[in-house]
């Protein structure tokens, strides 16, 4: 069992290399999802703090140590930060768990893996090369140079705060950008803890700043600030849409990682035991609070009964309880509003005629204490038109839908506004490749689920987002390209004609 921090910790925000109170001088509280009690006080920033942070980032971008720093040195700083995170994995993981209620086992693994993004993109920092173009004009030397896109506003949700911050921070730093981070109002503590390491690593002031507060004021002020050049957002579809609309006013560069309603396709030739484990990992791990939750199982009717029986048997063994225990497998829901939303989704599924075959409400298990727990829930006989099959629940609620042939399975998989991920369970090689082609989603896992890497681009089709994070190409979202033309001819050409 890992120890929670006792008492109530008061945090400060991090602007221009200094720990500062917010301009309002006030705080909001953040609760431990397992105990349901306040454990930290977070500065309630407003547009004045946002302005200070953005201007600090602008200053660091345009002159001084960071602006003049050789990319190799930027990479070195990033690797130093990586090493400090590795040193402090347990502390950061406990902070995440106390704030968002995810399992300590998962958060230790996740925080332990985060440094890889800094190593990978740190290594890329000095490999951003322009090109000399074999240009088709006489006496002209033409080359490209790639420059940082500018000040980045990085806005993150509550489910994996540090991981999703790192997906933005690492490529942005490698590109030479500066950032203002805005973590979720529910889980700001770990991002602020990370700043201690940013300071220790020796990043110049203003390169990375953190403002804390609510989406509609601090998030809005940040993403509409005229000195912000790019927004990197992870969160819900509704907020993503608002941000995209306001970004259009000043044509800010934008990447959006949004929600999902991902399907797990289980074909008749699948190894059902493996599929059962894969579906459990997709919907009950992290209490279903992941954008890639495999919340719709599409199962061939010939194996429906076998799958469901084995699935329920395994799901029933899930150990719920304190997320600080290494033994726990399903923890609490992160926030009270989310807890209520999940219960509402369960109710509406019942009303629409889905058959609840497991769970179906708040947990009353003793080991769940006073936390916000929802029982692992399974609805059978779901029709893909039902709300439960179309709306993102972001909780441990699975819908089971039958299909009769492959084409129907692909149709059902794609019959949603989202397109973030899919799981494909088959032993047939042809099906593996066909499904990878036919399913419209940014991440296709075959005989596996819920795997991510710093090397693999991550993102969604349709309402699941715009752009990709991770993988080498992610750095291009943080760069602008210039074409530079140098005419070394003696005479100017006819000025009235495009050359
Ligand atoms: P949310 O959209 O409510 O909040 C996300 C962040 O945006 C928070 O920091 C919030 O304060 C801020 N915000 C909210 N409204 C804003 C506005 N108008 N302007 C600027 N900022 C604003 O999302 P959430 O409830 O924190 O997270 C859950 C959602 O995130 C789910 O839909 C989930 O699928 C999605 N998510 C997606 C990914 C992915 O990579 N695709 C990963 C994790 C979570």
């Amino acid at each position: 069992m890992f120890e929670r921090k006792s008492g109530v910790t008061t945090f400060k925000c991090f602007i221009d290399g200094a720990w500062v109170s917010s301009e309002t001088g006030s705080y909001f509280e953040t609760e431990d999802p397992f105990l349901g009690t306040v454990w930290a006080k977070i500065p309630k920033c407003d547009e004045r703090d946002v302005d200070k942070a953005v201007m600090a980032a602008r200053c660091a971008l345009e002159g001084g140590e960071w602006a003049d720093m050789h990319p190799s040195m930027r990479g070195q700083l990033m690797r130093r930060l990586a090493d400090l995170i590795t040193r402090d994995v347990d502390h950061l993981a406990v902070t995440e768990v106390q704030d968002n209620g995810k399992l300590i086992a998962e958060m230790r693994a996740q925080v332990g893996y985060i440094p890889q993004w800094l190593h990978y993109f740190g290594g890329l920092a000095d490999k951003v090369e322009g090109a000399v173009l074999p240009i088709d004009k006489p006496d002209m030397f033409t080359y490209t140079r790639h420059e940082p896109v500018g000040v980045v506003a990085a806005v993150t949700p509550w489910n994996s705060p540090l991981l999703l911050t790192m997906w933005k921070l690492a490529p942005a730093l490698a590109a030479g950008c500066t950032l203002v981070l805005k973590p979720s109002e529910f889980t700001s503590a770990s991002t602020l803890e990370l700043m201690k390491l940013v300071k220790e690593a020796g990043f110049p002031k203003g390169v990375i700043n953190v403002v804390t507060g609510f989406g509609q004021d601090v998030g809005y002020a940040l993403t509409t600030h005229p000195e912000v050049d790019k927004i990197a957002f992870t969160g819900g579809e509704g907020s993503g849409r608002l941000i995209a609309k306001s970004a259009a006013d000043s044509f800010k560069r934008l990447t959006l990682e949004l929600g999902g309603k991902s399907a797990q396709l289980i074909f008749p030739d699948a190894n059902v035991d493996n599929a059962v484990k894969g579906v459990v990992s997709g919907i009950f791990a992290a209490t279903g609070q992941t954008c890639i939750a495999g919340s719709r199982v599409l199962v061939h009717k010939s194996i429906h009964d076998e799958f469901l029986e084995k699935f329920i048997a395994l799901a029933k063994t899930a150990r719920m309880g304190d997320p600080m225990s290494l033994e726990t497998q399903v923890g609490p829901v992160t926030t009270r509003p989310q807890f209520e939303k999940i219960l509402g989704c369960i109710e509406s599924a019942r009303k629409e005629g889905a058959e609840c075959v497991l769970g179906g409400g708040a947990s009353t298990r003793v080991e769940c204490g006073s936390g916000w727990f929802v029982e692992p829930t399974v609805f059978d006989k779901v029709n893909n038109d039902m709300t439960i099959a179309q709306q993102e629940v972001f909780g441990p609620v699975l819908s089971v839908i039958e299909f009769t042939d492959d084409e129907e399975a692909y149709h059902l998989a794609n019959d949603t506004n989202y397109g973030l991920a899919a799981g494909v369970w088959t032993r047939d090689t042809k099906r593996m490749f066909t499904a990878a082609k036919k399913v419209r989603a940014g991440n296709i896992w075959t005989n596996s689920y819920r795997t991510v890497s710093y090397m693999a681009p991550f993102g969604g089709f349709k309402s699941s987002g715009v752009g990709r994070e991770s993988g080498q190409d992610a750095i291009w979202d943080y760069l602008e390209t210039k074409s530079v033309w140098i005419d070394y001819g003696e005479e100017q050409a006819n000025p009235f004609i495009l050359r």
Side-chain angles (χ1 to χ4, degrees):
M1 183 74 82
F2 282 72
E3 285 285 312
R4 323 182 125 68
K5 209 163 182 192
S6 58
V8 176
T9 306
T10 302
F11 284 88
K12 291 198 164 184
C13 40
F14 188 69
I15 298 177
D16 208 14
W19 296 103
V20 291
S21 305
S22 67
E23 288 287 333
T24 62
S26 59
Y27 295 85
F28 58 94
E29 294 174 334
T30 182
E31 289 168 293
D32 178 327
F34 178 66
L35 300 177
T37 52
V38 174
W39 82 274
K41 283 167 48 175
I42 308 290
K44 189 170 184 309
C45 295
D46 68 12
E47 68 283 356
R48 292 169 293 174
D49 306 289
V50 169
D51 192 53
K52 278 194 331 199
V54 172
M55 294 323 290
R58 171 63 57 196
C59 240
L61 179 83
E62 291 190 348
E65 212 185 329
W66 181 253
D68 296 340
M69 191 179 285
H70 190 273
S72 303
M73 183 57 200
R74 283 207 304 269
Q76 237 177 70
L77 265 182
M78 291 171 69
R79 289 190 288 274
R80 200 177 298 159
L81 177 60
D83 292 342
L84 294 174
I85 295 173
T86 302
R87 183 195 71 190
D88 286 0
V89 163
D90 280 353
H91 171 67
L92 291 168
V94 165
T95 307
E96 291 275 53
V97 176
Q98 194 153 5
D99 226 11
N100 77 359
K102 276 178 121 173
L103 305 182
I104 187 72
E106 169 146 308
M107 295 327 281
R108 284 178 86 210
Q110 203 174 88
V111 178
Y113 190 44
I114 282 170
Q116 295 307 325
W117 271 264
L118 289 163
H119 286 297
Y120 182 75
F121 284 101
L124 205 53
D126 56 9
K127 293 168 195 67
V128 175
E129 295 169 347
V132 174
L133 308 181
I135 205 77
D136 59 331
K137 313 284 172 194
D139 298 339
M140 190 73 83
F141 183 85
T142 308
Y143 68 97
T144 55
R145 45 178 284 119
H146 306 295
E147 299 178 358
V149 71
V151 174
V152 176
V155 182
T156 44
W158 42 260
N159 59 330
S160 288
L162 286 180
L163 181 74
L164 298 172
T165 297
M166 198 51 74
W167 288 12
K168 297 156 183 55
L169 188 65
L173 292 174
C177 295
T178 57
L179 300 101
V180 180
L181 312 179
K182 207 305 264 168
S184 165
E185 50 272 39
F186 295 107
T187 56
S188 304
S190 57
T191 307
L192 292 168
E193 285 292 332
L194 180 69
M195 291 308 110
K196 292 182 184 162
L197 306 185
V198 163
K199 211 168 160 62
E200 188 179 340
F203 279 87
K205 66 184 185 138
V207 174
I208 310 172
N209 308 272
V210 181
V211 289
T212 49
F214 294 83
Q216 61 277 19
D217 40 47
V218 176
Y220 177 80
L222 178 60
T223 52
T224 53
H225 196 291
E227 292 294 334
V228 165
D229 300 289
K230 182 199 156 72
I231 303 165
F233 173 80
T234 301
E237 186 193 339
S239 326
R241 188 169 288 111
L242 286 176
I243 288 170
K245 282 183 183 163
S246 62
D249 286 340
S250 53
F251 297 109
K252 293 189 195 312
R253 306 303 184 248
L254 188 68
T255 38
L256 298 171
E257 298 286 355
L258 308 174
K261 196 70 205 174
S262 302
Q264 297 252 30
L265 294 78
I266 310 179
F267 289 98
D269 64 308
N271 176 328
V272 175
D273 294 328
N274 284 347
V276 161
K277 287 186 192 148
V279 175
V280 164
S281 85
I283 194 66
F284 296 146
T287 317
Q289 300 170 107
T290 72
C291 50
I292 48 179
S295 51
R296 288 184 303 145
V297 156
L298 311 179
V299 58
H300 192 268
K301 71 173 188 187
S302 64
I303 52 167
H304 167 275
D305 294 355
E306 180 193 357
F307 167 79
L308 200 57
E309 193 183 311
K310 288 182 168 171
F311 184 79
I312 290 174
L314 181 61
K316 276 185 173 163
T317 66
R319 286 185 299 275
M320 298 177 76
D322 189 342
M324 287 289 183
S325 161
L326 284 169
E327 301 303 310
T328 301
Q329 293 172 321
V330 178
V333 172
T334 301
T335 76
R336 194 187 296 274
Q338 183 60 21
F339 172 69
E340 278 151 18
K341 180 189 160 195
I342 298 170
L343 297 181
C345 291
I346 291 174
E347 239 3 84
S348 97
R350 279 207 177 92
K351 280 195 190 128
E352 287 187 44
E355 188 182 311
C356 187
V357 291
L358 183 74
S363 179
T364 50
R365 303 185 199 198
V366 199
E367 58 272 32
C368 294
S370 49
W372 307 312
F373 281 84
V374 174
E375 281 292 326
T377 295
V378 180
F379 282 102
D380 192 19
K381 305 207 179 349
V382 173
N383 175 319
N384 204 49
D385 295 333
M386 289 178 182
T387 314
I388 195 71
Q390 291 293 329
Q391 188 186 37
E392 184 183 46
V393 176
F394 221 60
V397 182
L398 181 71
S399 295
V400 180
I401 302 168
E402 269 188 19
F403 67 86
T404 48
D405 62 46
D406 291 22
E407 283 310 315
E408 187 188 6
Y410 301 137
H411 170 75
L412 288 168
N414 292 332
D415 185 17
T416 148
N417 288 335
Y418 296 107
L420 191 57
V424 177
W425 298 90
T426 179
R427 282 184 267 217
D428 181 323
T429 321
K430 187 165 187 294
R431 270 200 181 111
M432 293 179 192
F433 288 102
T434 308
K437 194 170 159 190
K438 292 213 166 196
V439 178
R440 300 196 68 221
N443 306 279
I444 311 277
W445 290 292
T446 305
N447 297 326
S448 138
Y449 205 78
R450 210 166 168 254
T451 316
V452 294
S453 166
Y454 50 92
M455 294 184 191
F458 182 97
F461 282 47
K462 303 190 275 182
S463 299
S464 288
V466 175
R468 296 291 179 270
E469 293 189 309
S470 301
Q472 285 188 38
D473 287 354
I475 198 168
W476 293 106
D477 278 318
Y478 295 89
L479 292 164
E480 291 277 19
T481 299
K482 260 183 195 163
S483 292
V484 183
W485 302 74
I486 299 174
D487 187 341
Y488 55 88
E490 289 297 321
E491 273 183 42
Q492 282 296 305
N494 181 345
F496 296 102
I497 296 175
L498 177 75
R499 281 182 78 184

